[in-house]
Amino acid sequence: EPEVTQTPSHQVTQMGQEVILRCVPISNHLYFYWYRQILGQKVEFLVSFYNNEISEKSEIFDDQFSVERPDGSNFTLKIRSTKLEDSAMYFCASSEGLRSSPLHFGNGTRLTVT
Amino acid sequence: GQNIDQPTEMTATEGAIVQINCTYQTSGFNGLFWYQQHAGEAPTFLSYNVLDGLEEKGRFSSFLSRSKGYSYLLLKELQMKDSASYLCAVSPHDSGAGSYQLTFGKGTKLSVIP
């Protein structure tokens, strides 16, 4: 069964550094998402992406965050200047885009900001 | 705003039946999803309800009442591997670009004991 893949599985960075989290969505999916989950808390929506542009973003997704689809397969999340509170598990997801289409999540990147 | 409530923890015995409740108040409604999340792993899709009533899928069933803003997930013939968090998620609105992003509850941690 096709799956969403994310790299790296774990990233440690120092406060103020830039990080790029990478995702390869399922190939025939059209809608891509980033979510985050702070340890012990709920899964939170960050941003959705369709047709090479952001279709929706949450309040969390401020100017420090950006997304890009640099080629036909990768989907990236960049955090420009990381803060301690950015430490979380970041999940990429994709879907076919129908109302009933479930989101398929990758295994996540655990980001630790020190 | 969006508000999704579920019990924090539940314990049930192997072989038994357990019902996990979810109540929601959201701006708009495009369906309710249940996901399973094992510790340290990605959420995986279990079920989708958009119309009132019961959807059955093997050992798992999900019920929806839109007028009451209420859903439950029913797990039958519990197995040890069912120990996980169960996440209730609502697709609150259509952004207009097909971005059916999900708003998640905090999840119910189910422990199955022998």
Side-chain angles (χ1 to χ4, degrees):
Chain A
E1 185 177 326
E3 57 181 26
V4 176
T5 57
Q6 290 185 243
T7 54
S9 56
H10 193 183
Q11 173 98 44
V12 181
T13 189
Q14 287 191 326
M15 197 166 52
Q17 296 297 304
E18 174 183 286
V19 294
I20 297 176
L21 310 183
R22 301 180 193 279
C23 170
V24 178
I26 294 172
S27 60
N28 65 334
H29 284 184
L30 301 176
Y31 296 84
F32 315 125
Y33 307 81
W34 284 101
Y35 284 77
R36 80 171 185 191
Q37 187 174 30
I38 295 170
L39 189 63
Q41 298 188 25
K42 66 179 179 179
V43 177
E44 298 176 292
F45 169 71
L46 293 178
V47 65
S48 58
F49 192 86
Y50 168 72
N51 200 25
N52 284 320
E53 61 182 28
I54 290 173
S55 44
E56 194 171 5
K57 60 183 181 180
S58 71
E59 294 175 352
I60 302 168
F61 194 87
D62 61 21
D63 292 344
Q64 294 297 316
F65 291 88
S66 62
V67 289
E68 193 178 32
R69 187 149 164 86
D71 54 43
S73 59
N74 290 286
F75 179 51
T76 62
L77 174 70
K78 182 192 292 187
I79 308 175
R80 229 176 304 280
S81 177
T82 50
K83 309 188 210 50
L84 294 176
E85 54 264 38
D86 293 328
S87 294
M89 182 74 94
Y90 287 81
F91 291 109
C92 173
S94 67
S95 78
E96 294 175 322
L98 300 174
R99 185 173 68 166
S100 59
S101 300
L103 269 57
H104 295 260
F105 287 86
N107 284 330
T109 293
R110 179 163 296 287
L111 177 65
T112 302
V113 182
T114 62
Chain B
Q2 327 289 0
N3 192 44
I4 300 175
D5 285 317
Q6 353 178 189
T8 305
E9 293 186 34
M10 297 182 73
T11 301
T13 306
E14 192 176 14
I17 299 172
V18 71
Q19 177 174 313
I20 302 173
N21 296 324
C22 170
T23 57
Y24 64 89
Q25 295 165 311
T26 56
S27 55
F29 182 80
N30 274 301
L32 187 144
F33 293 80
W34 283 95
Y35 280 80
Q36 180 190 61
Q37 186 179 30
H38 285 99
E41 297 183 11
T44 55
F45 168 71
L46 290 176
S47 69
Y48 170 73
N49 294 71
V50 67
L51 299 176
D52 289 353
L54 189 68
E55 294 281 342
E56 297 187 77
K57 194 188 286 188
R59 292 191 299 117
F60 293 7
S61 304
S62 56
F63 172 83
L64 175 68
S65 169
R66 288 172 297 171
S67 62
K68 295 181 179 177
Y70 168 69
S71 173
Y72 67 73
L73 179 70
L74 195 70
L75 291 74
K76 302 175 190 173
E77 300 169 17
L78 280 172
Q79 302 174 10
M80 299 299 290
K81 67 178 182 179
D82 296 330
S83 292
S85 287
Y86 291 85
L87 315 182
C88 175
V90 173
S91 179
H93 59 269
D94 178 358
S95 71
S99 168
Y100 295 108
Q101 60 96 352
L102 297 180
T103 299
F104 283 85
K106 292 183 179 179
T108 299
K109 185 178 179 182
L110 175 66
S111 298
V112 180
I113 58 176

